[in-house]
Amino acid sequence: SSSSGDEALRDKRARILSRGLPKQKPIEGVKQVVVVASGKGGVGKSTTAVNIALALAANDSTKEVGLLDADIYGPSIPKMMNLKGNPELTPKNLMRPLKNYGIACMSMGFLVEEAAPVVWRGLMVMSAVEKLLRQVDWGQLDYLVIDMPPGTGDVQLSVSQNIPVAGAVIVSTPQDVALLDAHKGAEMFRKVHVPVLGLVQNMSVFQCPKCKHETHIFGADGVRDLAKTLGLDILGDVPLHVNIRETCDSGQPVVISQPQSD
């Protein structure tokens, strides 16, 4: 019958396509990997990734949490986690993550000077990402949070296809331009069979510290509308607040420095 023929053809295509995909290999010692991504830069993805990692550890002190900065060109984790220095090497020539607030961290920012630009082509970037994933002694982690670079390019595909990813968190502001790219990011993870855990609406509203008037600088509820369109959950609605910016810039993220704040 035509239906059975169509099914056989689909199976054949799937087999052909799968031949070119790398086999997923878990990161030694890591139980669950969660990626934090965005289609566009400047939406607060790294801030969200840092505070998610810290919140996971604060929520259950028995859990070991790591944080990987996969943004090779613009690493932010060293400053936000108040870490400096070069990683030591183990006898097996693996890099030891730097730790602060109980979180094991690895970033390209530990391997280059703070003000030095990383002027690399794609193949060198992919090699660096592979080293950050595979040549690090993560020990035994319950969660590894990966701060992805913005976009839907080589790094996102490589991470998604080379290691088992438990889920992706998409961060966006409510602005239409950011939402277009966030939609693309969510669809990319679906195409590579990575579950999208939900969306975080960042910089959702600004409240004047003097008169308490609220202004939706980037628009209102755009991420909530996108979540409905995609059939996804809203994991958080984060205001544009000076404390969030100041605490990350000072290397004392808000989850650590102001754990009771709303």
Side-chain angles (χ1 to χ4, degrees), residues 40-227:
K40 181 174 289 297
V43 297
K45 171 184 51 59
S46 295
T47 300
T48 304
V50 164
N51 283 295
I52 284 176
L54 291 166
L56 285 170
N59 189 54
D60 187 344
S61 60
T62 67
K63 302 297 185 184
E64 294 293 330
V65 181
L67 180 60
L68 171 62
D69 189 350
D71 193 344
I72 303 300
Y73 292 119
S76 303
I77 299 306
K79 183 172 183 62
M80 291 186 176
M81 291 295 288
N82 196 26
L83 287 167
K84 287 184 178 180
N86 303 118
E88 297 177 353
L89 293 179
T90 70
K92 293 184 178 181
N93 213 32
L94 299 176
M95 293 181 287
R96 284 198 177 98
L98 276 64
K99 293 191 79 169
N100 197 11
Y101 309 123
I103 307 295
C105 301
M106 181 52 62
S107 170
M108 179 56 66
F110 300 145
L111 306 176
V112 297
E113 293 295 327
E114 187 175 30
V118 178
V119 188
W120 289 352
R121 294 188 184 275
L123 287 176
M124 294 177 70
V125 172
M126 298 311 299
S127 175
V129 171
E130 180 69 15
K131 286 180 171 60
L132 292 175
L133 287 170
R134 304 288 184 192
Q135 295 186 19
V136 175
D137 181 9
W138 289 108
Q140 298 297 314
L141 295 182
D142 295 284
Y143 302 105
L144 176 63
V145 178
I146 302 183
D147 178 22
M148 302 281 267
T152 56
D154 289 345
V155 173
Q156 289 82 355
L157 283 173
S158 179
V159 170
S160 302
Q161 293 176 345
N162 281 282
I163 63 174
V165 178
V169 174
I170 307 294
V171 181
S172 179
T173 64
Q175 186 179 5
D176 287 348
V177 174
L179 293 170
L180 288 171
D181 291 334
H183 194 159
K184 294 174 185 176
E187 292 296 349
M188 183 212 73
F189 283 113
R190 284 177 166 176
K191 284 184 180 295
V192 294
H193 309 295
V194 171
V196 180
L197 303 176
L199 279 68
V200 172
Q201 179 164 262
N202 198 24
M203 308 182 201
S204 58
V205 64
F206 172 74
Q207 185 183 71
C208 176
K210 292 185 178 180
C211 70
K212 306 302 180 183
H213 175 72
E214 293 189 347
T215 304
H216 294 88
I217 296 174
F218 297 107
D221 292 331
V223 178
R224 291 187 180 277
D225 294 339
L226 177 60

Side-chain angles (χ1 to χ4, degrees), residues 240-259:
L240 181 61
H241 200 290
V242 66
N243 284 355
I244 299 174
R245 193 271 302 167
E246 287 178 344
T247 53
C248 271
D249 282 352
S250 67
Q252 298 177 340
V254 70
V255 167
I256 290 294
S257 58
Q258 300 177 24

Side-chain angles (χ1 to χ4, degrees), residues 1-16:
S1 66
S2 61
S3 60
S4 60
D6 290 343
E7 187 175 345
L9 182 59
R10 284 196 297 270
D11 289 343
K12 184 177 180 180
R13 285 174 178 168
R15 287 196 301 272
I16 292 172

